Amino acid sequence: MLQKSLPALAVVLAGCAAMTQGDYRDRAVQMMKADFNERGQAKLDRLDQDETQAQCSRKPADGALDKEVAAHIEKTNLDRVRYPADGKLLGDWRAGEKIAQSGVGKQFNDNPKAPAGGNCYACHELSPQELSYGTMGPSLRNFGKTRGTSEAVQKYVYAKIYNAEAFTACTNMPRFGYKGILTEEQIRDVTALLLDPQSPVNR
Amino acid sequence: MTKGFIGALAMLALGVGIARAQPDAGTLRGIEKYREALAEDNPAELWEARGAELWNARRGPKGASLAQCDLGKGPGVVKGAYAELPRYFADADRVMDLETRLVHCMVTLQGFSAAEVTRRPFGGPDHRSDFEALAAFVAAQSKGVKMNVSLDHPKERAAFLLGEQMFFYRGGPHDFACATCHGESNKRIRLQDLPNLTDAKDAQRAYTTWPGYRVSQGELRTMQWRLNDCFRQQRFPQLKFASDTSIALTMFLAHNANGGVFNAPAVKR
Amino acid sequence: MADPMRIRASMQGDKVLVRVLMSHEMETGQRKDESGKIVPAHFIQNVTVTHNGKTVLSAEWGPAVSKNPFLQFQFAGGKVGDKIQIIWTDNKGGTRTDEAVVN
Amino acid sequence: MEEVVHFDRRRREFLKTAGTTAAFGALAAANLAWPGTALAQGAWNAKAFSSKSLSDVVKAYGGAGAEPTNDVSWGSTPEIAENGAVVPISVTSRIPNTESISILIEKNPNALAARFQFPQGTDPTVSTRVKINQSSNVHALIKTANGKFYVATREVKVTIGGCGG
């Protein structure tokens, strides 16, 4: 793999003074596609971007996200939200807590048959018992206590977990339902973790 | 989906944004004490010692040592070399990071095949990595030296700009890019501070402390390993060892850390 | 992994402070490898430190001592130039002896 | 096969390092008979290291019980550990005639992690690093020259770290 020939790169780089940002982007994508090996469940198609991923691959120098692009991202992703057919949005908060704690799933060394976690604590504060929480996302402490459990709130929480891009274009939060990371039942359980009055999040 | 519902959603979304999680001061002080207690007597020294032996050992089909390996500051000059890597090497007509250069020297000086020496580049319970030992040894010879990575050569500049593109490239089932976790300041994942690798100060602090002894694994890990494992957690496929992508990203990170005083091998969680 | 120990022995006032890093897996016997098989326990059981031939510390360890173990202690009666010898033995018969001079 | 090779290598290195005196050769040979082998240089108390509780460890070392004490300082021992695989533990006993300090992790599968014996002239203070499976009480068990046992306890919390995968 180290003997990989680089004539294509050499040609491109020879004229690099004239290379534009777009050229670098294309060249970077080509380079990445040559430089990964598929392993386990992680095949090379994971390097292929969908429209949202491409629009959200932005450097600070690219400036603020265009309002129309942001609206487009949110609209297309909202259209992709699928609620459970039976209309039930709240599951078991205890199962939700386990999902929130678990960071496994979808990695090349993970068992593809085992359920994935949501890893919520990596980025969010939830139950007060868990001291080890991240701050990439907002605190979700007392989430249901302060917002209630109306159908609108339930639908929002379910949809936010299902496809966060529907509400915040280029968010750091994965699209757990749309991308098939969590199942319908798991999303219901995490929704319950946030909203159930008995959940430690609200106690 | 009614207009009213969307409006309610927007308000809820705003409400969520108000209460930012504050790090628990007592917990963080405790963690700080833990890190201090481990900072001295770093087991990385065991790797440095083995790396020094490997560097000087006559090995390979040519029975040569690495003592004549040119890490960029002339054959055999190790002191300060790591603080200037990656760099362009005319003899290979390629930008190389430390590990790629070590492969080059193992091939050209010692007569090993690249495939052979890179078959299992990372160590584990049943396997020791020569690269991890050599990287610990070489990196330690740059302690106290300021990071000074050049972009003067067109290929160095190209590597940096390609690395920048890769850093912000989202993909995989989780939509993660390097920047997802390392593009903002003052964030934590669980209790670990996340360096903002686009910010000079954070980039300096992060880059100058790799390689590091990873206590969770009991292994000395290098920048090549760090990138490999970040991509695993990004849910990407497996990054090839010493690939151009790995070098470009390392160039982006190393150059962002310029001016920082090198201080590795360090201890890492 | 019988790499040499890293031994530091230095005078701190009238005491000799000894700090040691050892290279050892300290396998617990409870970890599974990638194929799901239990990796057998493999750990240092005994450590003996001598100063000019006299034992100044002896230790019994179980597999709960961390991988690549660290040990620090201090004793009286030593001086610069004295010899410190450390021996460890593990549960599979592996052993290692290293020496250092007090500085 | 791998292990056999390793063993031979270690044994060779040992013999090389220690010199091929008869005494050391015999020691290396004796080690072959693990488990349960008492080594010439020091015994390894298999019963103590398979004990699940503080009281069983005390019994394994010939005591009836341990008296709580505050005459122990914990030095750089943290109250919270970022990773349970490596937790620095530092114990100093102020109890006169301290002969040994044992470190026990209450919630580990086997409680006893390590035991240190201090001959005359060695300070009853030791630092090491241990594995702690989950947040747990850590005991410092002190035995004095006249056979009495004392125990000091502190809690160490172990956190979940990193990206979680």
Side-chain angles (χ1 to χ4, degrees):
Chain A
M1 65 189 168
L2 293 157
Q3 308 294 349
K4 180 163 57 70
S5 66
L6 294 168
L9 176 60
V11 170
V12 174
L13 294 182
C16 78
M19 270 179 79
T20 66
Q21 283 292 317
D23 294 336
Y24 279 112
R25 186 182 168 115
D26 293 347
R27 182 57 215 148
V29 173
Q30 281 175 44
M31 196 179 258
M32 289 175 85
K33 289 191 171 166
D35 285 346
F36 283 83
N37 289 320
E38 69 170 49
R39 181 172 161 190
Q41 60 182 299
K43 310 295 184 203
L44 292 176
D45 62 6
R46 290 194 177 183
L47 296 167
D48 298 332
Q49 292 181 316
D50 67 18
E51 186 193 47
T52 299
Q53 289 173 337
Q55 289 174 332
C56 291
S57 295
R58 304 170 56 77
K59 308 188 297 296
D62 298 335
L65 186 65
D66 183 85
K67 276 201 180 107
E68 276 178 34
V69 176
H72 173 78
I73 290 169
E74 289 172 8
K75 164 128 198 1
T76 51
N77 281 288
L78 191 58
D79 290 345
R80 289 161 173 163
V81 174
R82 298 287 174 269
Y83 295 97
D86 62 5
K88 192 170 166 277
L89 299 171
L90 288 182
D92 172 5
W93 67 262
R94 285 179 190 81
E97 167 72 15
K98 286 191 187 121
I99 294 162
Q101 288 281 4
S102 169
V104 301
K106 303 284 182 192
Q107 297 166 125
F108 59 59
N109 59 330
D110 285 330
N111 176 0
K113 288 180 188 134
N119 212 14
C120 313
Y121 282 103
C123 301
H124 297 283
E125 180 183 22
L126 293 115
S127 308
Q129 288 82 358
E130 181 51 85
L131 301 175
S132 180
Y133 59 85
T135 59
M136 303 226 340
S139 171
L140 303 175
R141 180 97 192 83
N142 290 321
F143 189 94
K145 204 172 177 177
T146 52
R147 291 168 186 79
T149 54
S150 67
E151 202 197 334
V153 172
Q154 290 185 28
K155 280 189 96 167
Y156 165 67
V157 172
Y158 189 96
K160 174 84 184 184
I161 299 166
Y162 191 96
N163 192 334
E165 292 284 354
F167 306 99
T168 313
C170 301
T171 174
N172 285 330
M173 181 164 158
R175 295 172 281 178
F176 288 103
Y178 173 62
K179 286 289 194 168
I181 302 162
L182 297 180
T183 64
E184 188 177 279
E185 190 173 353
Q186 285 181 305
I187 298 175
R188 273 202 279 245
D189 292 339
V190 178
T191 304
L193 177 67
L194 289 176
L195 296 179
D196 194 317
Q198 298 306 310
S199 160
V201 168
N202 299 313
R203 291 176 74 93
Chain B
M1 197 69 63
T2 65
K3 229 180 175 174
F5 176 56
I6 301 285
L9 294 184
M11 280 176 60
L12 283 163
L14 277 174
V16 174
I18 291 166
R20 302 299 295 188
Q22 290 302 312
D24 174 341
T27 304
L28 293 187
R29 252 198 322 276
I31 295 284
E32 201 46 49
K33 190 179 174 192
Y34 169 83
R35 289 177 188 160
E36 279 167 18
L38 284 180
E40 276 184 53
D41 300 295
N42 184 346
E45 290 175 26
L46 299 164
W47 275 256
E48 287 174 38
R50 190 163 71 85
E53 260 180 48
L54 275 171
W55 181 261
N56 291 308
R58 294 179 181 279
R59 303 195 313 146
K62 294 185 183 172
S65 79
L66 291 170
Q68 288 306 302
C69 180
D70 183 353
L71 298 173
K73 295 176 78 74
V77 180
V78 180
K79 185 149 182 56
Y82 192 79
E84 295 179 14
L85 289 169
R87 71 192 301 154
Y88 173 77
F89 288 89
D91 58 4
D93 190 26
R94 187 184 176 200
V95 175
M96 293 171 155
D97 68 340
L98 173 64
E99 284 143 289
T100 311
R101 189 62 184 171
L102 288 172
V103 174
H104 176 86
C105 288
M106 289 173 181
V107 170
T108 56
L109 297 177
Q110 298 183 310
F112 286 113
S113 85
E116 183 188 344
V117 293
T118 59
R119 199 173 60 84
R120 290 184 70 187
F122 307 125
D126 61 338
H127 166 70
R128 300 200 295 179
S129 158
D130 290 348
F131 291 106
E132 288 168 348
L134 285 164
F137 162 67
V138 172
Q141 313 302 310
S142 283
K143 269 189 189 172
V145 177
K146 271 195 182 167
M147 287 296 301
N148 183 22
V149 174
S150 161
L151 298 186
D152 290 348
H153 192 278
K155 289 195 177 182
E156 291 169 341
R157 178 146 196 86
F160 174 87
L161 291 170
L162 290 165
E164 183 185 37
Q165 295 286 343
M166 294 161 180
F167 186 83
F168 292 96
Y169 189 86
R170 290 200 184 208
H174 286 58
D175 303 332
F176 287 159
C178 304
T180 306
C181 289
H182 297 292
E184 275 184 90
S185 300
N186 304 314
K187 299 289 180 192
R188 298 183 338 215
I189 196 159
R190 291 279 189 172
L191 286 176
Q192 277 69 52
D193 296 321
L194 290 165
N196 175 359
L197 300 175
T198 66
D199 168 81
K201 234 179 157 180
D202 271 19
Q204 287 169 0
R205 201 168 43 217
Y207 195 88
T208 57
T209 49
W210 285 95
Y213 181 74
R214 198 64 196 260
V215 301
S216 51
Q217 304 172 6
E219 298 285 346
L220 186 291
R221 296 307 193 190
T222 66
M223 189 48 62
Q224 281 281 338
W225 177 88
R226 179 61 278 175
L227 294 177
N228 195 289
D229 209 52
C230 272
F231 277 122
R232 175 178 68 84
Q233 290 170 315
Q234 268 174 255
R235 276 72 182 174
F236 276 42
Q238 187 160 37
L239 179 65
K240 291 180 187 171
F241 184 76
S243 59
D244 289 322
T245 294
S246 72
I247 296 163
L249 268 168
T250 303
M251 183 56 123
F252 178 68
L253 302 177
H255 186 264
N256 287 349
N258 265 357
V261 176
F262 194 74
N263 190 30
V267 173
K268 300 282 180 181
R269 180 193 66 80
Chain C
M1 274 220 212
D3 275 345
M5 291 175 236
R6 303 282 288 171
I7 306 172
R8 288 197 180 84
S10 58
M11 294 303 299
Q12 304 283 315
D14 58 347
K15 304 280 173 69
V16 179
L17 179 72
V18 182
R19 286 147 67 203
V20 197
L21 284 166
M22 305 173 191
S23 178
H24 203 284
E25 279 300 315
M26 300 303 286
E27 194 65 67
T28 59
Q30 290 168 22
R31 191 179 62 85
K32 286 178 182 162
D33 65 15
E34 281 191 11
S35 62
K37 268 189 290 190
I38 293 272
V39 181
H42 184 202
F43 57 94
I44 293 174
Q45 284 186 314
N46 287 93
V47 182
T48 303
V49 186
T50 56
H51 161 240
N52 292 343
K54 172 190 173 268
T55 297
V56 287
L57 186 85
S58 57
E60 293 169 75
W61 286 356
V65 171
S66 299
K67 182 172 172 179
N68 299 318
F70 170 67
L71 168 65
Q72 175 180 310
F73 72 101
Q74 59 187 35
F75 65 89
K79 60 181 188 309
V80 171
D82 284 1
K83 207 194 282 180
I84 304 291
Q85 188 189 61
I86 306 181
I87 297 185
W88 60 249
T89 52
D90 71 25
N91 67 322
K92 289 189 182 179
T95 184
R96 171 96 213 171
T97 304
D98 288 288
E99 289 181 354
V101 171
V102 178
N103 59 32
Chain D
M1 285 310 285
E2 187 90 327
E3 275 314 325
V4 173
V5 172
H6 277 180
F7 172 74
D8 284 348
R9 182 169 57 78
R10 272 198 310 274
R11 189 165 182 273
R12 264 201 318 278
E13 283 179 20
F14 165 69
L15 293 172
K16 198 171 70 195
T17 315
T20 47
T21 66
F24 281 120
L27 170 58
N31 283 351
L32 283 166
W34 186 84
T37 311
L39 301 176
Q41 60 162 295
W44 191 80
N45 190 325
K47 200 174 159 208
F49 279 97
S50 58
S51 294
K52 308 291 174 204
S53 68
L54 171 66
S55 60
D56 285 351
V57 172
V58 173
K59 274 182 213 147
Y61 283 110
E67 188 182 312
T69 180
N70 290 320
D71 287 334
V72 162
S73 52
W74 290 91
S76 58
T77 309
E79 281 163 28
I80 186 162
E82 198 171 15
N83 196 291
V86 182
V87 182
I89 301 282
S90 188
V91 176
T92 300
S93 167
R94 290 185 298 274
I95 298 169
N97 301 314
T98 293
E99 187 185 80
S100 75
I101 297 176
S102 300
I103 294 162
L104 286 76
I105 317 301
E106 197 172 273
K107 290 195 182 164
N108 274 6
N110 298 306
L112 181 60
R115 181 173 188 255
F116 302 90
Q117 283 185 276
F118 310 99
Q120 281 283 319
T122 300
D123 293 351
T125 178
V126 69
S127 299
T128 186
R129 296 168 182 164
V130 302
K131 299 166 195 163
I132 302 187
N133 275 13
Q134 53 179 307
S135 297
S136 171
N137 277 335
V138 175
H139 304 295
L141 176 67
I142 282 111
K143 188 188 178 196
T144 63
N146 55 10
K148 288 193 87 170
F149 287 83
Y150 298 88
V151 64
T153 302
R154 79 135 60 179
E155 194 195 3
V156 175
K157 288 197 184 103
V158 174
T159 62
I160 299 168
C163 312

